Amino acid sequence: MGLHVRFSCIFPLICLIPLLTSGPGCSARYTEDWTSLDARPLPQWYDDAKIGIFVHWGVFSVPAYGKFSEWLWSWWKTAKRLDVYADFATQFHAEFFNPDDWADIFKASGAGYVVFTSKHHEGFTNWPSPGSWNWNSVDVGPHRDLVGELAAAVKKRSLHWGLYHSLYEWYHPLFLADQASGFKTQDFVAQKTLPELVHLVMEYQPDLIWSDGDWEAPDTYWNSTQFLAWLYNDSPVKDVVVTNDRWGKGCYCKHGGYYNCADRYTPGKLPDHKWEKCQSVDKRSWGYRRNMKLSEVMDLPSIIKDMVYVVALGGNYLLNIGPMSDGMIAPVFEERLRGLGAWLGVNGEAIYATKPWRVQTENDTNVWYTAKNNTVYATIIGWPTKQPLQLLTPKTSDATKVTLLDYPDVPLKWAPVTKQAGLVIVLPAMPFSPGNAWALKLEGVV
Ligand SMILES: *[C@@H]1O[C@H](CO)[C@@H](O)[C@H](O)[C@H]1NC(C)=O
Ligand SMILES: *[C@@H]1O[C@H](CO)[C@@H](O)[C@H](O)[C@H]1NC(C)=O
Ligand SMILES: *[C@@H]1O[C@H](CO)[C@@H](O)[C@H](O)[C@H]1NC(C)=O
């Protein structure tokens, strides 16, 4: 048993303990340091899902104004306007909020997970937090447990459930006092951050925690490693939960679960760690803006192009929408999400559960590769103007078979370019596709 456990573990150091406790499989206990926590394998569901929907909703959805509308209160800055902003909470009615309608749209997008703002930097909690008296969605505004209602609807549709959570709060008196002490005191963390995080986990059992608002203070102030060790060892979601990398100043792109790095992280080549790009359909804001113009909204081909590039480079794509304060999702956002889902309904085989291939793209073209088992997928962005289509990287054999996912069961004519590598493919005439992208399936190539 001991030997079996030892050999089934990838990380010998953290697996020494199961040798003593003889738990099943690799039930290592993580210690409260980054070396141990960073070595935790990411639960597989996350890499397989590839696509998530990010939802920014809160008191900021009431004024719903300006670039990055969720930052409005911070743009204002002056203490005098604290009260004015707080009044917006009473206008956060959510009268049309139907969590089942939302979850239907998210499911139809083809996403495998949803990440919802439980609390943004304004500190308003979208659940009845005992630590946020009169500044939560049950005491004020909607008078509903928004986190709980959406969690149930999302889980019912077999989507993974994620919670965005801001560690800091712009104007919380305890946070400001800790900050004034140079973060030598930890009253805010002891009385607010940690109890709320634990409460969220126990109450709503998230599969993903998307941490944010960490950058003002080091992870030793937030006690991030203590929290994560508890999350990975003893919480009810210890085997399934995935986290990101925003756990303290200097942490991102370095520590935690998968890497978000900066917002809209766009690496130029294959990163050596699982990562996620978050991107908003409204290019200027995460929260809803009443002053949003159509020209500022990503169109479907841009979304698909971005997502295909991200997946080819081993990332996940977290696409954001900001619902309105009345609980409606703007039809333009719904249309984009359903369009993405329609494209994935045809081409998803080239996306879900794939791995990066040995080469990510054909140079100077819009072709992106992924691979699954022994099959290679080449996704073409934009219908090629030059026919036949030439791919220089795959090495063919007599057993090579080429099909288009949108034209299934019909092998396409192809010929090698040189003895060493490459092939030309004769594409069928295809009708207009709103996604403007097509995935080729290449079997028997290396
Ligand atoms: C943070 O962790 C340290 C070390 O375990 C502990 O002494 C301290 O009390 C913790 N602080 C909070 C706020 O939990
Ligand atoms: C292909 O790979 C997936 C995931 O890696 C696996 O679940 C599946 O069984 C494989 N399919 C075949 C036909 O080998
Ligand atoms: C693309 O460019 C890189 C760097 O110049 C080169 O190493 C690689 O062989 C090229 N690949 C193809 C398919 O032309």
Side-chain angles (χ1 to χ4, degrees):
M1 185 60 200
L3 275 183
H4 169 76
V5 170
R6 182 200 284 271
F7 286 131
S8 71
C9 293
I10 304 165
F11 304 102
L13 272 180
I14 56 172
C15 290
L16 288 175
I17 291 163
L19 288 176
L20 306 174
T21 58
S22 80
C26 184
S27 58
R29 288 202 54 95
Y30 297 93
T31 50
E32 298 172 351
D33 57 86
W34 288 122
T35 311
S36 171
L37 298 166
D38 288 349
R40 176 178 181 258
L42 208 58
Q44 187 62 39
W45 71 262
Y46 177 78
D47 186 38
D48 288 350
K50 302 296 185 201
I51 295 147
I53 301 299
F54 208 177
V55 184
H56 273 72
W57 204 33
V59 171
F60 52 81
S61 311
V62 173
Y65 174 74
K67 192 173 179 189
F68 299 124
S69 69
E70 68 284 353
W71 275 76
L72 181 75
W73 202 12
S74 174
W75 304 146
W76 278 1
K77 279 284 190 281
T78 61
K80 203 171 68 198
R81 285 183 159 182
L82 289 177
D83 300 349
V84 178
Y85 189 86
D87 282 348
F88 287 135
T90 62
Q91 297 165 51
F92 183 16
H93 296 308
E95 66 269 34
F96 302 132
F97 173 52
N98 182 340
D100 284 305
D101 289 350
W102 285 23
D104 280 341
I105 296 171
F106 303 152
K107 184 78 183 174
S109 77
Y113 59 105
V114 174
V115 180
F116 179 60
T117 45
S118 63
K119 181 194 83 168
H120 204 263
H121 312 323
E122 63 189 11
F124 186 86
T125 63
N126 280 335
W127 85 100
S129 167
S132 194
W133 180 78
N134 219 28
W135 194 231
N136 71 72
S137 65
V138 172
D139 287 351
V140 208
H143 297 291
R144 290 165 71 176
D145 177 1
L146 308 177
V147 171
E149 289 190 38
L150 191 58
V154 162
K155 289 179 181 188
K156 204 160 72 190
R157 286 158 183 80
S158 304
L159 294 165
H160 287 277
W161 172 239
L163 288 174
Y164 168 103
H165 173 269
S166 173
L167 292 170
Y168 89 139
E169 294 174 24
W170 290 316
Y171 305 115
H172 197 291
L174 292 177
F175 178 74
L176 296 176
D178 286 350
Q179 192 172 38
S181 82
F183 297 113
K184 288 192 179 64
T185 58
Q186 271 188 313
D187 294 335
F188 177 67
V189 178
Q191 292 177 45
K192 188 74 170 36
T193 316
L194 290 178
E196 275 191 342
L197 266 174
V198 170
H199 186 240
L200 271 176
V201 170
M202 299 307 287
E203 203 67 22
Y204 305 106
Q205 315 224 337
D207 301 326
L208 190 156
I209 297 180
W210 210 101
S211 184
D212 197 22
D214 59 320
W215 52 80
E216 297 274 338
D219 63 274
T220 48
Y221 167 73
W222 300 116
N223 270 24
S224 295
T225 58
Q226 285 79 3
F227 170 73
L228 289 172
W230 170 79
L231 186 71
Y232 296 166
N233 287 328
D234 298 313
S235 81
V237 292
K238 67 187 172 67
D239 296 323
V240 73
V241 76
V242 167
T243 65
N244 68 346
D245 56 352
R246 296 188 181 177
W247 294 104
K249 194 176 193 165
C251 272
Y252 83 33
C253 253
K254 217 158 107 190
H255 293 303
Y258 67 80
Y259 293 171
N260 275 117
C261 305
D263 289 357
R264 301 181 195 74
Y265 177 51
T266 304
K269 60 183 176 48
L270 188 66
D272 60 6
H273 190 95
K274 183 66 197 181
W275 63 285
E276 176 189 74
K277 177 175 184 175
C278 56
Q279 171 69 42
S280 190
V281 176
D282 172 1
K283 289 180 273 188
R284 293 171 61 93
S285 185
W286 302 93
Y288 184 71
R289 288 184 304 136
R290 289 172 296 128
N291 55 327
M292 177 178 72
K293 299 190 176 117
L294 187 62
S295 60
E296 296 158 345
V297 176
M298 289 180 88
D299 61 16
L300 184 62
S302 330
I303 292 170
I304 290 171
K305 180 180 175 177
D306 203 23
M307 181 270 294
V308 165
Y309 141 81
V310 165
V311 172
L313 263 66
N316 271 26
Y317 196 59
L318 183 63
L319 186 62
N320 176 79
I321 54 139
M324 295 181 262
S325 66
D326 59 14
M328 290 303 292
I329 290 174
V332 70
F333 293 154
E334 176 175 353
E335 195 255 358
R336 296 297 187 267
L337 297 193
R338 290 189 186 278
L340 175 61
W343 188 87
L344 285 163
V346 173
N347 299 285
E349 188 185 327
I351 301 293
Y352 300 123
T354 58
K355 303 275 180 241
W357 194 42
R358 63 176 172 86
V359 170
Q360 281 66 61
T361 184
E362 289 282 330
N363 292 337
D364 308 320
T365 65
N366 268 318
V367 176
W368 294 93
Y369 290 108
T370 54
K372 185 154 57 187
N373 304 326
N374 293 319
T375 303
V376 175
Y377 299 90
T379 302
I380 316 165
I381 308 295
W383 192 251
T385 46
K386 237 176 85 193
Q387 301 268 2
L389 174 71
Q390 180 171 279
L391 302 177
L392 291 176
T393 311
K395 295 175 183 156
T396 57
S397 70
D398 290 346
T400 295
K401 184 178 159 196
V402 181
T403 45
L404 198 60
L405 292 182
D406 203 3
Y407 197 75
D409 308 321
V410 182
L412 304 181
K413 284 206 175 102
W414 65 272
V417 174
T418 70
K419 272 214 179 77
Q420 286 73 41
L423 72 167
V424 288
I425 302 164
V426 181
L427 295 171
M430 292 295 289
F432 168 79
S433 158
N436 198 36
W438 293 263
L440 286 161
K441 180 174 180 174
L442 312 174
E443 291 165 282
V445 303
V446 290

